Amino acid sequence: LQCDAQSAFDSADDAESFEAARVAFTGAKKGRLKDVQKQMGAVPNEEKKTAGLKLNEVKSAIQTALETAQSRLGGGDDSGVDPTFDPTLPGNRPIIGHIHPITQTINHLMEIMGRMGFEAAEGPEVEDPWHNFVALNIPEDHPARDPLDNFYLATAAAAKADRNVEGEQLLRSQTSTVQIRIMEERQPPIRIISLGRVYRPDQPDATHFPMFHQMEGLLVDKNVTMANLKTVLRVFATNYLGDDVEIRFRPSFFPFTEPSVEVDFLWDGTWIEFGGAGMIDPNVFKAVGYDPDEVSGFAFGLGVERLCMRRHGITDIRDLYSGDLRFLRQF
Ligand code: PHE
């Protein structure tokens, strides 16, 4: 049997003759190996052991012959394999995403400000009026608190449009909220930036979007001056936008800074506003429990989209949030 099987497998020269030999010798029903196995029952007890050993020997010899033939014929059953398939060809590259330009900008800004010693801090996007207004010296009747200019959350209490109710919440309209949160938690000296989303119900156009990002900066120490503020902003601007960038401070008003300025950069011959800044108002220090006679500080808030747009020559803020890959892939 062993010799027959050996020669049958050795002489198999295509899939068909190989398959015929396989069925003839190792077939589960009519295979000759099976026949021999069936006869084992008739072997007298004292010879069973030797017969069993012999059978196993033959079995494994046949198996080896079968495998040798299989690999010689190219892997045995290749019926399901496409003969044109070439496993050595490089594969298809999977399409993977990449980092959104605004996230790239945020990382870049954190790096530049980090080099000047500003540590990144975060605050919640859903805020209470204390952090978004009250502690920032924005009084009850101030237009900045108007429901038409803010996204108040429709909690049961706030729905009444009684904006003084306990538990009232809104989507923060500025990252200045984080100034308050940090000063409530820490003691000076403080040197932080906070980059994140803010929300205002603006009609979207080329320069407005109801959600955008701000970079807030806060420095509190002894004897901080407006000159320090201007230097930090100038160093930042030249690092991010290039050495030839021109920066301008325009007198302005914010309830939480005194004096206050608006920060403009020259863009294609035009002064464009990038945000606000100023020296921390004593009322803000009082709200967080600092002594305004002991410490001074400055704060600034710049629009991240505008910075990104100026650096990359983007002309429509809506492109950043369109999800259009043809646009996003350029970054
Ligand atoms: N929070 C102001 C705004 O959103 C910007 C600002 C920040 C102004 C810090 C002064 C100081 O317009």
Side-chain angles (χ1 to χ4, degrees):
L1 172 63
Q2 188 181 335
C3 293
D4 284 359
Q6 186 76 51
S7 65
F9 283 120
D10 283 354
S11 60
D13 53 5
D14 58 12
E16 244 167 83
S17 49
F18 169 81
E19 184 60 10
R22 192 188 66 77
V23 171
F25 292 97
T26 66
K29 281 193 186 133
K30 301 216 172 88
R32 285 174 57 186
L33 198 54
K34 199 78 196 172
D35 280 347
V36 177
Q37 243 162 357
K38 280 181 197 150
Q39 293 164 28
M40 282 295 283
V43 177
N45 272 348
E46 60 274 21
E47 287 171 31
K48 269 223 163 77
K49 198 176 165 204
T50 5
L53 285 173
K54 188 71 199 162
L55 177 64
N56 280 342
E57 226 172 83
V58 173
K59 231 180 174 173
S60 67
I62 291 178
Q63 184 63 28
T64 312
L66 180 146
E67 280 164 13
T68 313
Q70 200 167 40
S71 60
R72 176 168 49 80
L73 292 172
D77 180 14
D78 57 0
S79 49
V81 177
D82 176 356
T84 62
F85 175 71
D86 180 353
T88 63
L89 287 175
N92 292 331
R93 207 173 269 280
I95 300 166
I96 52 171
H98 75 294
I99 298 174
H100 190 276
I102 287 300
T103 309
Q104 291 182 32
T105 304
I106 286 174
N107 292 340
H108 192 177
L109 302 183
M110 284 202 287
E111 189 214 310
I112 293 172
M113 295 307 293
R115 276 188 254 139
M116 283 192 272
F118 286 80
E119 174 203 343
E122 274 186 68
E125 289 176 27
V126 174
E127 266 294 5
D128 50 55
W130 168 259
H131 292 96
N132 203 84
F133 301 123
V134 182
L136 287 164
N137 199 31
I138 303 176
E140 188 68 41
D141 54 356
H142 194 279
R145 297 177 66 157
D146 195 312
L148 293 176
D149 292 330
N150 293 283
F151 287 110
Y152 285 93
L153 267 57
T155 51
K160 289 192 214 121
D162 173 2
R163 289 180 293 104
N164 207 21
V165 284
E166 188 97 11
E168 186 184 45
Q169 288 181 310
L170 75 160
L171 297 179
R172 68 178 176 194
S173 61
Q174 49 185 354
T175 45
S176 301
T177 54
V178 186
Q179 291 182 36
I180 303 301
R181 288 189 173 273
I182 294 296
M183 288 192 282
E184 282 173 337
E185 275 169 24
R186 306 185 194 176
Q187 290 301 313
I190 288 174
R191 201 189 281 213
I192 58 110
I193 48 163
S194 185
L195 284 137
R197 298 188 182 101
V198 299
Y199 301 85
R200 295 176 192 178
D202 287 332
Q203 190 67 35
D205 63 24
T207 54
H208 295 87
F209 207 72
M211 182 281 300
F212 61 100
H213 294 72
Q214 287 186 322
M215 174 168 73
E216 192 82 10
L218 171 70
L219 187 148
V220 184
D221 207 333
K222 289 189 191 311
N223 308 317
V224 182
T225 70
M226 197 96 179
N228 300 141
L229 167 61
K230 196 159 186 179
T231 304
V232 165
L233 285 178
R234 179 185 304 284
V235 172
F236 160 72
T238 49
N239 266 281
Y240 185 65
L241 297 172
D243 284 338
D244 54 350
V245 70
E246 289 202 54
I247 179 169
R248 177 174 87 172
F249 277 11
R250 201 155 32 82
S252 185
F253 174 80
F254 296 102
F256 35 93
T257 45
E258 182 60 35
S260 304
V261 291
E262 251 153 314
V263 183
D264 299 340
F265 298 138
L266 204 54
W267 188 349
D268 292 340
T270 321
W271 289 104
I272 304 284
E273 184 207 320
F274 278 75
M279 304 307 291
I280 309 285
D281 192 289
N283 286 339
V284 173
F285 282 143
K286 284 183 204 151
V288 298
Y290 287 3
D291 180 354
D293 295 328
E294 282 291 312
V295 291
S296 53
F298 65 71
F300 59 85
L302 303 178
V304 173
E305 278 76 1
R306 215 160 266 192
L307 289 165
C308 170
M309 288 166 76
R310 155 88 208 251
R311 185 178 159 101
H312 296 290
I314 298 167
T315 51
D316 194 326
I317 189 174
R318 291 167 295 191
D319 286 337
L320 288 166
Y321 300 113
S322 64
D324 188 335
L325 291 176
R326 290 168 303 180
F327 173 79
L328 294 174
R329 282 205 185 102
Q330 300 174 67
F331 300 92

